[in-house]
Amino acid sequence: MENLQNAIFLDIVPDNWTKRAYPSMSSLAMWFTDLLARIKELEAWSVDFILPSAVWLAGFFNPQSFLTAIMQTMARRNEWPLDSMCLHCDVTKKNREDFSSPPREGAYIHGLFMEGARWDQQVGLIVNARLKELTPTMPVIFIRAIPVDKQDNRNVYQCPVYKTRQRGPTYVWTFNLKTKEKPSKWTLAGVALLLQI
């Protein structure tokens, strides 16, 4: 009880909660607000068991499983081998509210933030970050599965996706994002997508 009281006083997530919860670097108040948002999202989804028009990827305890499910669904539908599939990312110019229904294949995802650069919605490319804008919000991303041999690797940065700023142990996936610059520029800048800031 003393440890719990100290954690509440210091506004940090108690250790015994952290062991059973999703990775987070937030204070206790922000963590609890995020937990309530996750519960609300899952309740809304479980009422009618229909894919939402735009899925909050950060709301999942294990977002990798959702991304794998996108590939599995497409592989079954087209009778393609799963090991020759990959995810294709198209960054839209829209926000979550602009979508009223899910796509026929794949999913629209939202709630990602870019660290180290920003996404220019007008041009549709990664560009340098603005001053004092550390983690700009990404627009909705359309994720769908395609065969590996149809993937275009020209002018793309293989952007890692992490659950938190802690990076390493919170790795989720790699999204190919369009760029005019050499990918090494963004690698040296440490550009990544984050599910939680």
Side-chain angles (χ1 to χ4, degrees):
M1 289 301 288
E2 186 178 344
N3 291 339
L4 181 62
Q5 182 181 1
N6 288 338
I8 292 171
F9 177 76
L10 297 171
D11 195 27
I12 58 173
V13 181
D15 288 337
N16 54 349
W17 294 7
T18 305
K19 291 175 188 171
R20 292 174 179 84
Y22 52 90
S24 178
M25 297 177 69
S26 301
S27 65
L28 179 60
M30 293 299 296
W31 181 86
F32 188 69
T33 303
D34 183 65
L35 177 66
L36 293 177
R38 288 169 184 252
I39 292 169
K40 183 179 175 185
E41 183 84 10
L42 291 174
E43 283 177 347
W45 196 356
S46 63
V47 168
D48 51 10
F49 293 108
I50 296 175
L51 186 69
S53 56
V55 176
W56 181 37
L57 191 62
F60 292 115
F61 185 84
N62 184 4
Q64 296 95 319
S65 61
F66 179 75
L67 297 172
T68 303
I70 292 172
M71 290 197 313
Q72 288 174 336
T73 303
M74 196 66 175
R76 280 192 201 121
R77 183 179 298 151
N78 296 312
E79 296 180 4
W80 293 336
L82 184 61
D83 59 350
S84 66
M85 304 281 296
C86 64
L87 289 180
H88 178 73
C89 308
D90 286 321
V91 182
T92 68
K93 295 184 178 184
K94 299 179 179 181
N95 293 320
R96 174 187 183 185
E97 296 80 24
D98 299 333
F99 293 95
S100 58
S101 63
R104 285 187 290 142
E105 59 184 40
Y108 295 118
I109 61 170
H110 70 92
L112 282 82
F113 305 88
M114 184 173 278
E115 186 175 50
R118 68 183 174 88
W119 185 262
D120 188 332
Q121 284 185 306
Q122 307 305 321
V123 184
L125 300 168
I126 301 174
V127 295
N128 290 323
R130 292 187 181 117
L131 293 176
K132 298 182 182 180
E133 194 176 273
L134 301 178
T135 51
T137 305
M138 287 289 290
V140 172
I141 301 174
F142 175 45
I143 302 286
R144 61 189 174 94
I146 60 170
V148 173
D149 58 345
K150 291 187 179 179
Q151 186 175 23
D152 184 16
N153 287 325
R154 291 173 294 144
N155 299 327
V156 295
Y157 167 60
Q158 294 183 344
C159 186
V161 181
Y162 298 100
K163 292 179 185 176
T164 68
R165 284 190 182 138
Q166 188 180 8
R167 296 198 176 198
T170 66
Y171 174 78
V172 175
W173 209 275
T174 300
F175 289 174
N176 289 336
L177 301 178
K178 295 177 185 173
T179 179
K180 277 190 177 177
E181 308 282 344
K182 290 184 178 180
S184 59
K185 173 182 179 175
W186 306 121
T187 303
L188 291 172
V191 174
L193 291 175
L194 305 176
L195 299 180
Q196 188 182 99
I197 54 173

